[in-house]
Amino acid sequence: MPDDLSSRLDLPLLAAGQLQKHITVNEALTRLDALVQASVRSRTAGPPASPVEGDLYIAAAGWSVPPGTLVRFDVPDWRPLEAPEGLRVWVQDEGRLWLREDGGWVELGRRLGEVQALSRFGLDATADAANPFLARLNSALWTARAPGEGGTGDLRLVFNKSAPERVLSLLFQSAWG
């Protein structure tokens, strides 16, 4: 690690006997302001005509930096920021969370290998208390995991009720009735 930068976020460090320490501290605070709980306006738009101090974007085509660069508007210029691996960024115009990985950006949902203990799950729909699992789609396919993939090759769909007197039904309906 260089003696003048922090190891992860490359924040400038104060040097012993340094003059004008406020410049170094302000630079570090500006980087922290951009990188901690990062929220960018867009990752697909070009530079806006009237940016606001502190606006943050992931550069797309049309910027003066390579696509994928994290840029912040500090009057009067856009400044590229080094985005560390693992940085999570909320993209406002998409309403999605993106992750810095291998020098690029990947949607966080694509990186989740396991999701556990959900109380509700909506697929292209909003699940509620009456329907904690809700999928809105035109077709669905359930396929068995092959033995070469760690499965048995079998596929079993099980419906289980809590007691013999409880109802178990499979309902087919049209137009909600």
Side-chain angles (χ1 to χ4, degrees):
M1 168 179 96
D3 290 339
D4 57 346
L5 296 175
S6 69
S7 61
R8 187 165 120 51
L9 295 178
D10 290 330
L11 301 174
L13 301 174
L14 292 175
Q18 177 180 339
L19 297 175
Q20 298 184 329
K21 291 178 171 69
H22 66 282
I23 294 173
T24 302
V25 170
N26 288 346
E27 171 66 20
L29 291 174
T30 299
R31 289 184 57 78
L32 282 172
D33 183 54
L35 296 174
V36 174
Q37 296 184 347
S39 179
V40 302
R41 301 261 185 225
S42 180
R43 65 178 192 88
T44 57
S50 301
V52 175
E53 174 82 21
D55 274 358
L56 199 59
Y57 283 78
I58 296 173
W63 289 81
S64 61
V65 294
T69 302
L70 188 63
V71 290
R72 177 188 167 101
F73 187 69
D74 289 320
V75 174
D77 298 312
W78 289 98
R79 295 179 44 169
L81 294 172
E82 185 64 34
E85 290 289 305
L87 179 70
R88 290 161 307 281
V89 173
W90 178 254
V91 179
Q92 296 170 15
D93 67 349
E94 297 176 7
R96 296 181 186 264
L97 201 56
W98 289 76
L99 177 71
R100 183 73 167 174
E101 182 178 80
D102 297 328
W105 296 95
V106 64
E107 193 173 358
L108 183 62
R110 295 185 185 275
R111 299 307 307 142
L112 296 175
E114 183 176 305
V115 178
Q116 297 288 340
L118 294 175
S119 58
R120 293 183 186 170
F121 180 77
L123 181 60
D124 196 25
T126 302
D128 56 26
N131 300 289
F133 174 80
L134 181 57
R136 182 180 171 143
L137 35 90
N138 288 325
S139 65
L141 170 66
W142 296 83
T143 187
R145 181 175 289 159
E149 299 170 324
T152 63
D154 298 330
L155 181 63
R156 179 181 301 152
L157 189 59
V158 177
F159 295 90
N160 188 30
K161 57 184 184 166
S162 61
E165 65 274 6
R166 304 308 304 168
V167 174
L168 178 62
S169 64
L170 185 59
L171 178 64
F172 296 89
Q173 63 184 29
S174 295
W176 311 110

